[in-house]
Amino acid sequence: MMYDKIPVILLWTVFVFHSTEAQCIAQGNEQKYLSLLDPIVGQKFEVTDAPKNFSYSIGICTPVENTQDYGVIQTDLKSDDHTKKNVGRITQTHIQRGTDWLLLTYAGGDPYHTHCTGEARKAVIMIVCDPSNLVGSKRIIVESSDKNDQCYYLFEFGSSVSCSNASTGLSVGSIICIIFFVVVLLYLLVGILYQRCVAGAKGMEQIPNIAFWRELGNLIADGTDFVFRSTPRGQPKTYKGIGDDQLAMDDDDDRDDHLLPM
């Protein structure tokens, strides 16, 4: 009867092993952002730097290369034995969120030997918005190790999980504009068909409510002229007297001045 229990024991062992596999552990308010990674948790991929000196195995909240909690492992392709180093642990996760990006940081890697004051290695994974792919492009951007401290390995990973709602949907204003133009198009289409087929209108008369639109156009023109005209309309005319030059007086009139009574 003991042999009958072997499959059950094996199944229980697999279940316990799987349930105890390490996952991302964040602190404080960062914990709420981990749920955004749920669609890509368990993804693993490899990237190689441009000189092809190092390759990197990366796991999204899952350990890589059968380790306990290593989230990123560096392999030295130049060495004969392909030396490996732990770059960061998923059990020491920090996560930040911005507009269309997530910043996933694994701390607690192997310490540096000759630079960065011997601090522990750290992997920074920038998850940028890629609305068309759940798992998009992957690459290493830089190893920032020419400092005394705060050194890190920076990776870029494209995924739709970091896209904000604003960038994946239409705004309220866009929806209102679409509805407005659809209603106007239907109004013109149905109105023209009715005027042509039922009322027998031709030419411009096929436009529905043409008299109203003409009157509206005239009113808009009058209102625009009233608001934006540059000179006042109906300016009162001023009285202009008759000048001496218009009386055509000559020297003979001056000689007769002595005949006028004083």
Side-chain angles (χ1 to χ4, degrees), residues 26-44:
Q27 304 296 326
N29 293 330
E30 297 180 3
Q31 192 71 29
K32 62 183 179 183
Y33 297 136
L34 289 178
S35 60
L36 299 175
L37 300 176
D38 286 347
I40 59 173
V41 167
Q43 292 288 337
K44 299 178 182 180

Side-chain angles (χ1 to χ4, degrees), residues 234-251:
Q235 186 175 7
K237 297 181 179 180
T238 58
Y239 174 77
K240 182 178 181 182
I242 300 176
D244 292 340
D245 57 335
Q246 294 174 295
L247 295 177
M249 295 181 63
D250 52 21
D251 295 339

Side-chain angles (χ1 to χ4, degrees), residues 189-200:
L189 182 61
V190 174
I192 290 174
L193 289 176
Y194 176 83
Q195 291 291 98
R196 183 179 181 87
C197 300
V198 178

Side-chain angles (χ1 to χ4, degrees), residues 19-244:
S19 62
T20 56
E21 188 178 68
Q23 296 180 349
C24 283
I25 299 177
Q27 304 296 326
N29 293 330
E30 297 180 3
Q31 192 71 29
K32 62 183 179 183
Y33 297 136
L34 289 178
S35 60
L36 299 175
L37 300 176
D38 286 347
I40 59 173
V41 167
Q43 292 288 337
K44 299 178 182 180
F45 52 90
E46 290 192 5
V47 296
T48 304
D49 61 3
K52 298 186 181 302
N53 293 329
F54 298 95
S55 67
Y56 300 85
S57 300
I58 304 172
I60 303 299
C61 290
T62 188
V64 293
E65 298 189 9
N66 298 321
T67 58
Q68 184 177 0
D69 63 348
Y70 292 1
V72 177
I73 291 179
Q74 179 195 64
T75 302
D76 187 352
L77 301 178
K78 304 187 305 299
S79 63
D80 295 334
D81 58 352
H82 284 190
T83 305
K84 297 180 182 294
K85 289 184 173 60
N86 170 30
V87 179
R89 300 175 183 270
I90 62 176
T91 50
Q92 299 184 37
T93 299
H94 299 280
I95 183 170
Q96 296 173 279
R97 184 186 183 186
T99 302
D100 291 340
W101 58 266
L102 289 167
L103 195 66
L104 185 65
T105 302
Y106 298 151
D110 292 340
Y112 287 97
H113 295 297
T114 59
H115 46 281
C116 297
T117 61
E119 70 177 9
R121 286 175 168 82
K122 178 171 57 179
V124 179
I125 305 172
M126 173 70 78
I127 305 176
V128 297
C129 175
D130 183 357
S132 58
N133 293 294
L134 180 62
V135 179
S137 60
K138 291 88 65 175
R139 63 176 179 144
I140 178 171
I141 297 179
V142 67
E143 178 189 358
S144 178
S145 59
D146 55 350
K147 304 183 297 183
N148 292 329
D149 56 4
Q150 298 299 317
C151 300
Y152 57 88
Y153 296 78
L154 180 60
F155 304 90
E156 185 181 82
F157 173 46
S159 175
S160 57
V161 297
S162 61
C163 297
S164 62
N165 294 331
S167 63
T168 58
L170 295 174
S171 64
V172 176
S174 300
I175 295 174
I176 293 176
C177 289
I178 292 173
I179 294 175
F180 171 77
F181 285 114
V182 169
V183 170
V184 170
L185 182 62
L186 289 176
Y187 166 76
L188 291 174
L189 182 61
V190 174
I192 290 174
L193 289 176
Y194 176 83
Q195 291 291 98
R196 183 179 181 87
C197 300
V198 178
K202 301 294 183 181
M204 294 292 293
E205 298 301 324
Q206 296 178 90
I207 299 177
N209 302 311
I210 184 64
F212 167 78
W213 295 116
R214 283 174 175 168
E215 182 65 21
L216 179 63
N218 293 333
L219 292 175
I220 293 175
D222 292 340
T224 303
D225 180 63
F226 176 79
V227 173
F228 296 104
R229 64 185 177 216
S230 58
T231 58
R233 179 179 297 177
Q235 186 175 7
K237 297 181 179 180
T238 58
Y239 174 77
K240 182 178 181 182
I242 300 176
D244 292 340

